[in-house]
Amino acid sequence: TLNGATINTASQLMRRIYTDKMGLRILEDAPGFKKALIAQLASGNKFQSKLQENEELKYVLLQATPYVGMAKAEVLNYEGLQKFLNTNNVTNEITSDITALSLQQNNDGGFAWQKDFRSSPYITSAILKDIARLKQHGIETKELTNIAEKATVFILKDLEVNYQLLKKRTNLNNYTVGSELHTISILSYFMKKEDLLKNEAFKFYFDKHMEHW
């Protein structure tokens, strides 16, 4: 979202980094939209959603429906985009957030639900996913690349640990890949496939996935 929520966890920092990076890219790639935002600010008129503009609906009790919430979200997102007109402020915010994110990265490369907690594969994967999505749009930084490299080490190690536990208690011949598919997909985006296939755990889950493709 674009409405200034409190930011204090690694996942929240990464979401704002992603939002800020994409917001700047949207205005860069859509100059017409940027021009419309500037005109809206210059007019002094507050943006309203279509629902808010409809006088008849203002007298209808819609608070119990999703439509009011959707209208509010529309306004918040539109007003939130206005902050990207100040490129310097947003760029500084991104730099500050990336620094804060790196400080929350644990020594094993993972991220936790809260600072100084044990690393979580789920949180770490979510952060890697956002970094991957930025890369898909051609948005990369040296700092985020370094964060991703350390995070993939943690994710791969976690995959290996779970694989060793799996071997002890399960008939691997009949195993069907579940949540591991998400993990191997993320790893494949950041690491070379030929290197990953040298890893016993990765190769097992990859091969099992291909068996049931």
Side-chain angles (χ1 to χ4, degrees), residues 1-178:
T1 61
L2 300 172
N3 53 15
T6 301
I7 306 294
N8 51 35
T9 67
S11 57
Q12 289 171 335
L13 284 166
M14 188 62 236
R15 288 307 298 165
R16 185 161 72 179
I17 291 167
Y18 175 81
T19 300
D20 282 355
K21 287 280 191 183
M22 289 304 299
L24 291 177
R25 174 56 62 88
I26 287 170
L27 295 192
E28 179 184 333
D29 292 348
F33 185 57
K34 181 176 181 179
K35 185 177 179 181
L37 276 175
I38 293 172
Q40 181 72 28
L41 281 175
S43 71
N45 296 324
K46 195 166 179 138
F47 176 76
Q48 291 185 312
S49 70
K50 294 300 181 184
L51 179 61
Q52 289 174 311
E53 290 173 355
N54 191 317
E55 291 293 335
E56 292 181 5
L57 288 182
K58 288 181 181 179
Y59 298 99
V60 179
L61 295 178
L62 291 174
Q63 289 300 89
T65 75
Y67 300 110
V68 168
M70 291 166 61
K72 288 178 180 177
E74 182 184 353
V75 173
L76 285 172
N77 283 340
Y78 188 92
E79 292 178 344
L81 278 171
Q82 293 177 0
K83 89 172 193 177
F84 298 106
L85 295 176
N86 192 325
T87 305
N88 288 336
N89 281 356
V90 177
T91 300
N92 289 336
E93 182 173 76
I94 291 170
T95 300
S96 176
D97 283 349
I98 290 177
T99 298
L101 181 66
S102 67
L103 291 174
Q104 291 210 28
Q105 190 165 27
N106 291 331
N107 291 333
D108 59 9
F111 290 92
W113 294 90
Q114 295 286 343
K115 192 177 186 306
D116 297 326
F117 279 52
R118 183 178 178 180
S119 294
S120 161
Y122 175 80
I123 295 297
T124 308
S125 294
I127 288 171
L128 280 171
K129 184 177 179 180
D130 278 342
I131 295 176
R133 290 169 68 194
L134 286 175
K135 287 185 66 175
Q136 288 175 336
H137 291 282
I139 302 173
E140 296 185 71
T141 71
K142 179 182 177 182
E143 293 78 11
L144 286 179
T145 298
N146 289 337
I147 287 171
E149 288 176 354
K150 296 175 185 176
T152 52
V153 170
F154 168 75
I155 291 296
L156 184 57
K157 181 64 177 177
D158 182 73
L159 192 72
E160 292 170 347
V161 170
N162 289 332
Y163 171 64
Q164 293 303 322
L165 291 173
L166 187 70
K167 286 202 299 184
K168 293 178 181 179
R169 62 175 187 245
T170 307
N171 182 348
L172 298 183
N173 291 329
N174 300 322
Y175 188 76
T176 301
V177 175

Side-chain angles (χ1 to χ4, degrees), residues 162-203:
N162 289 332
Y163 171 64
Q164 293 303 322
L165 291 173
L166 187 70
K167 286 202 299 184
K168 293 178 181 179
R169 62 175 187 245
T170 307
N171 182 348
L172 298 183
N173 291 329
N174 300 322
Y175 188 76
T176 301
V177 175
S179 61
E180 300 91 357
L181 178 58
H182 179 63
T183 302
I184 64 176
S185 296
I186 289 176
L187 287 170
S188 297
Y189 193 85
F190 288 98
M191 301 177 68
K192 293 181 179 179
K193 184 177 178 182
E194 55 265 33
D195 292 335
L196 285 168
L197 288 174
K198 295 175 184 176
N199 181 281
E200 181 183 350
F202 181 92
K203 188 175 187 308

